[in-house]
Amino acid sequence: CTEHPFGHLIDTLRSEQYEERRYFNPQKLSDVRYENLPFCMRVLLESAIRKCDGFYIKTDDVSSILDWQMQQNQAEVAFSPARVLLQDFTGIPAMVDLAAMRDALAKQGVDPNLVNPRCHTDLIVDHSLQIDYSKCSGGHCAGQRPGHRGGCSKASCSDAPSGRSAAVQIENTPLLCPFHLQPVSEPETMIRNQEMELIRNKERLQFFKWCSKAFKNINVVPPDINTVHQVNLEYLCQVVQEGEGFIYPDSVVGTDSHTTMINGLGILGWGVGGIESEAVMLGQPVSLTLPQVIGCKLVGTINPLATSIDIVLGITKHLRQAGIGGKFVEFFGPGVQQLSAPDRTTIANMCPEYNATVSFFPVDDITLQHFKHTSTDHPLSHVMRLVSGPKRPQDRVAVTCMKEDFINCLNEKVGFKGFHVSKEKQATQVPFLHEGAEYNLAHGSVVIAAVISCTNNCNPSVMLAAGLLAKKAVEAGLTVKPYIRTSLVPGSGTVTHYLNTTGVLPYLRKLGFEVVGYGCATCVGNTAPLPESVVDAIKQGDLVACGVLSGNRHLEGRLCDCVRANYLASPPLVVAYAIAGTVSINLETEPLGVNSEGKDVYLRDIWPSKEEVNHTEENIVIASMFKELRSRMEKGSTFWNRIESAESALFPWDPKSTYIRCPAFFSKLVKVCAPQSIEGAYPLLFLGDKVTTDHISPAGSIARVSAAARYLQSKRLTPREFNSYGARRGNDAVMTRGTFASIKLQNRLIGKTGPKTLHIPSGQTLDVFEAAERYQRDGVPLIILAGKEYGSGSSRDWAAKGPYLMGVRAVIAESFEKIHRNHLVGMGIAPLQFLPGQNADSLELCGKERFTINIPQELTPRQQLTTSTGKSFSVTALFENDMDVAFFRHGGILKYVARSLLL
């Protein structure tokens, strides 16, 4: 360490209980600027000092961070996190890319075993769960079982008798097999979903099993253990890491949008998407502009009726109004001490929704108490019970104003909140039959109610509140209509443990909220199909049906194509709206329903008090739960342990597989490369403002009338075997066909919503993929024209990989979401920005021109490039540093890393 440029900062931590540990002590710099740094900047500084090698991370990076007050928003610095976190939806393409890189290097005579993650990587298999079995109130099975070919086995259909429900006592109420209407015992619900998950995703799981053995420095967490953010919170986070002879602060970058949740525990982390994560895995640091850090001072006291999600939505609104896009937020002030560690992680989790990169809570006594599994306090007085929707998480609505707001949404023109339903049609009611009984659907009817593994499930208080509310509701004689798709997907077995131990789980089951498994389901579009009679009624009346979920993602059409209005709510409010059966209700003044005596029951009658929740939490959330979790993590499931996989350095690709395919990213790998100008490109799409990654990237179920569906049918798969886009992210042929396949895509080239575009030379309207395929066949490069905030929303690697494989060379937009801009650069696509005050309209572009973009051999960061369409205008190339330019020159990060191993 004497050769280390900061070797003189090495110090020793001594303790009577532990061996001596070495660490880099920034205080030895004796620089007054260090004491003025925000705590999150101190984490960056320590990493820069420790990892300084003069190449990837330089002494200038250390100087810039120290001089943060003067250098913020200006200096570019490199950051090497302690670890990488992957979930399987984004993890599988990352690992497929590494497997393909091994193949490419082996063909060039390079040892494939050189391709390994250099930064410790954890891959959690949690996004493959689909809800095939679930339970609706009244003991009826609401599940659909895609791919079910034979009869029910004895294990699937038990002879358990159907029990009668009582006002207070809960008796066994069995599930029914959806195909034979035979009882299925309640404990088997999760087991059946797990079996279907493993059958449906066998190829993917075999690949993950191979990865766990073939690659070094990677830890694969099997399915049905936990969701990625729960594993990160409960198992992987260390606060202090140890490696290469030193201890240092824990930090992480991850491909899951919930990675930011970890900042609530004083661990610096943010989402980077699959492309950048692959670079970090292979030893490349994250490059970022030294961020401005906004201090958020919390003051006041807590309203006893407020939950964590109420606080989250309040903070989201204020921070979004403050315009903090791309900035770090650090919380301080007396109000912080009133927030438990779970509350903090819930708040930190939502920072992408107000466009912050990080929402950081420095480590304090409450953080340390959390790690000792002691009880904590709860959610500030002016915060009211809120929901968020119907299309965006930042559009919060007080429960008291919900009915009025929903009616306004029906009246408003189609947009971020409006549905434009005429006055005469707003009272439409459509009768339908479900399981022999007649019901009515109307605008605002709830058809999906999901307490899912997302924002709130890390917080015992809100989950217990949901269970206690369910208990009081059942005791009051309230029910949930059987056609509502209800589900409970806890963040981990720990959550199920305390729900079960507290005795509230049977009451949740009684209302239909049966534990269906562990993993991301409804939030990513993996909910089971709605009953056909419900779908038909919605379509018949052109109804604005609603979903209510305790997540943080609810864009229109994401949960289900026919469910247009989706609201985020705390778990107890999800249960409440499920009981009410509609969002067109004022829960403060209107009853949820009537009891067996015909008496009105209001939300206030069954809402659990803060004292009830506190008492339950303090007596249940104990260290034994986390010990049980660790045991499950280490042992794995029986299903996982039985999966067989190859013992080889190279993955044995199966040409018949429709799940795992060697991608084409390395098909033209050569040692030398240079950027080339883009000549005669046509716009593939002409888009407006706020095009999200949900519009771009494949997600959710695969529509039967789509390019991806036609591909799978050509492989002799039936629609019930399509599975989801997320499950098929390891197949570039499926994912490319699913790019820009959103039903909400608004393309100005065709003037209407849908996954279509104009093939300009022929004048034909085609699926976006088919048009791109035709352009590529003719050797024509492509670009995309867009407005403001292109690529906002969740970080999605296929939102860049898909366009790349379609032949898109550049995106010209008014502005970009930062992470997506990074992804475009990482795939070798040029993010080009109109000059200030200019856009496609001001330049009188119709989208049918041919574009030539001059890219010089000596390209520099943020250089202005000349673009010609017959007339010329300039655009700014949004390459922020020399590393971005290097990635673009090489055709993306993957080729850059591969070529570094060839030299």
Side-chain angles (χ1 to χ4, degrees), residues 417-724:
K417 284 187 69 102
F419 297 101
H420 200 210
V421 178
S422 62
K423 292 281 187 181
E424 60 272 16
K425 293 185 178 180
Q426 290 183 15
T428 299
Q429 290 201 3
V430 181
F432 69 99
L433 289 176
H434 179 74
E435 298 175 350
E438 182 173 311
Y439 301 91
N440 288 299
L441 284 184
H443 294 292
S445 291
V446 173
V447 294
I448 296 176
V451 177
I452 58 178
S453 54
C454 202
T455 309
N456 305 285
N457 289 4
C458 67
N459 194 328
S461 65
V462 289
M463 290 299 291
L464 291 175
L468 293 171
L469 184 143
K471 181 176 184 293
K472 292 187 176 186
V474 171
E475 290 172 343
L478 299 179
T479 61
V480 174
K481 294 180 178 64
Y483 60 79
I484 297 177
R485 176 74 71 230
T486 52
S487 60
L488 171 60
V489 187
S492 71
T494 302
V495 177
T496 305
H497 182 89
Y498 64 67
L499 289 177
N500 189 53
T501 304
T502 54
V504 299
L505 194 57
Y507 296 92
L508 286 164
R509 287 177 183 153
K510 180 63 179 175
L511 295 179
F513 291 94
E514 174 79 21
V515 176
V516 298
Y518 302 98
C520 286
T522 307
C523 201
V524 293
N526 283 356
T527 188
L530 295 175
E532 289 187 11
S533 58
V534 173
V535 175
D536 291 342
I538 293 172
K539 292 181 178 179
Q540 179 184 337
D542 193 21
L543 299 176
V544 180
C546 300
V548 186
L549 63 152
S550 63
N552 76 338
R553 290 291 188 276
H554 66 326
L555 296 177
E556 183 179 2
R558 182 165 183 171
L559 305 189
C560 181
D561 288 350
C562 62
V563 180
R564 289 190 276 168
N566 298 298
Y567 289 89
L568 304 181
S570 62
L573 283 179
V574 171
V575 178
Y577 279 110
I579 294 170
T582 180
V583 300
S584 186
I585 183 175
N586 185 331
L587 292 180
E588 297 287 335
T589 61
E590 297 181 61
L592 287 174
V594 295
N595 61 18
S596 56
E597 300 174 354
K599 182 180 178 181
D600 288 342
V601 179
Y602 292 84
L603 180 62
R604 59 178 176 269
D605 298 327
I606 62 173
W607 189 269
S609 67
K610 179 182 176 182
E611 289 72 25
E612 288 178 89
V613 176
N614 280 348
H615 176 77
T616 307
E617 184 177 359
E618 290 169 2
N619 287 276
I620 299 302
V621 182
I622 55 177
S624 62
M625 301 178 196
F626 297 95
K627 291 181 181 178
E628 180 185 1
L629 167 66
R630 290 180 179 273
S631 175
R632 292 179 64 214
M633 291 274 291
E634 292 166 1
K635 292 180 180 179
S637 67
T638 302
F639 295 118
W640 172 258
N641 293 333
R642 289 177 179 172
I643 293 175
E644 297 181 355
S645 62
E647 302 279 350
S648 59
L650 299 177
F651 182 70
W653 307 99
D654 181 357
K656 297 180 181 178
S657 174
T658 57
Y659 280 97
I660 307 295
R661 196 176 103 134
C662 187
F665 300 129
F666 303 98
S667 59
K668 297 180 181 179
L669 184 65
V670 293
K671 290 185 177 181
V672 182
C673 66
Q676 295 180 347
S677 294
I678 302 171
E679 297 182 358
Y682 274 121
L684 178 62
L685 296 160
F686 188 5
L687 306 172
D689 296 340
K690 297 185 178 180
V691 174
T692 72
T693 51
D694 270 19
H695 294 112
I696 307 169
S697 180
S701 59
I702 298 173
R704 296 191 179 192
V705 183
S706 65
R710 288 191 288 274
Y711 168 80
L712 293 174
Q713 287 170 336
S714 73
K715 301 295 182 181
R716 299 185 177 180
L717 269 65
T718 63
R720 68 174 59 184
E721 296 170 313
F722 285 175
N723 211 324
S724 65

Side-chain angles (χ1 to χ4, degrees), residues 686 748 786 814 834 837-846 871:
F686 188 5
R748 293 173 62 178
E814 291 183 66
F834 290 109
Q838 294 184 350
N839 57 33
D841 291 332
S842 69
L843 294 171
E844 299 181 347
L845 300 176
C846 69
K871 58 182 177 182

Side-chain angles (χ1 to χ4, degrees), residues 36 95 102 110 139 159 166 178 199 225 298 362 380 393 448 564 587 670-671 707 723 731 735 811 877:
N36 294 326
M95 300 312 300
R102 281 193 166 191
V110 178
D159 295 322
I199 292 171
I225 298 294
L298 301 182
L380 299 161
I448 296 176
R564 289 190 276 168
L587 292 180
V670 293
K671 290 185 177 181
N723 211 324
N731 185 326
M735 297 302 287
V811 178

